[in-house]
Amino acid sequence: RGEDSSRVILRRLLFNADKKPNRDLFKFLADVSTDRLDQFDARCLSNLTYAYALIGYVPEIDDVSDLFDHIAMEGGKGKRFNAQVISNMVWAYATVSKPHTDL
């Protein structure tokens, strides 16, 4: 059975020929997301963190912080976290060995 063409296109976009994540694309997505984190609810923050942990990439946003720092700071701004969201975020931070005091 042949693969769905949209799945093939997406895989080629997200991953390099060596099957490693396309860091340039993921860096771009992180930069764009960081500018809009205030619009993300707790579940969206969790999903973003989880996705980057799955590929093992924590992009730097500026000279002193990275995407996970920005997510942790945004998460402390009155977002409502349920048990699943907290569990996914703790897993993600642990997976990339990223401690953060705001968590």
Side-chain angles (χ1 to χ4, degrees):
R1 174 179 121 165
E3 262 194 292
D4 179 33
S5 63
S6 60
R7 185 178 291 179
V8 172
I9 292 168
L10 189 58
R11 185 179 300 123
R12 287 180 182 163
L13 180 67
L14 296 175
F15 297 95
N16 297 322
D18 61 1
K19 299 194 177 164
K20 292 186 179 177
N22 179 342
R23 288 189 176 237
D24 291 335
L25 176 63
F26 282 99
K27 171 69 170 113
F28 172 77
L29 294 172
D31 289 340
V32 172
S33 296
T34 300
D35 292 338
R36 293 169 175 81
L37 288 178
D38 61 327
Q39 299 171 30
F40 286 34
D41 64 14
R43 184 179 56 85
C44 291
L45 292 174
S46 174
N47 288 343
L48 185 63
T49 308
Y50 190 86
Y52 277 86
L54 280 175
I55 63 168
Y57 180 45
V58 182
E60 291 185 8
I61 301 301
D62 51 41
D63 292 341
V64 295
S65 65
D66 58 44
L67 177 63
F68 280 46
D69 292 328
H70 285 267
I71 290 172
M73 290 182 286
E74 185 60 39
K77 295 182 179 176
K79 309 271 186 207
R80 298 186 70 149
F81 289 85
N82 64 32
Q84 184 66 54
V85 167
I86 292 169
S87 173
N88 289 349
M89 288 190 77
V90 168
W91 176 87
Y93 277 78
T95 297
V96 297
S97 302
K98 177 70 180 171
H100 203 284
T101 57
D102 288 343
L103 295 175

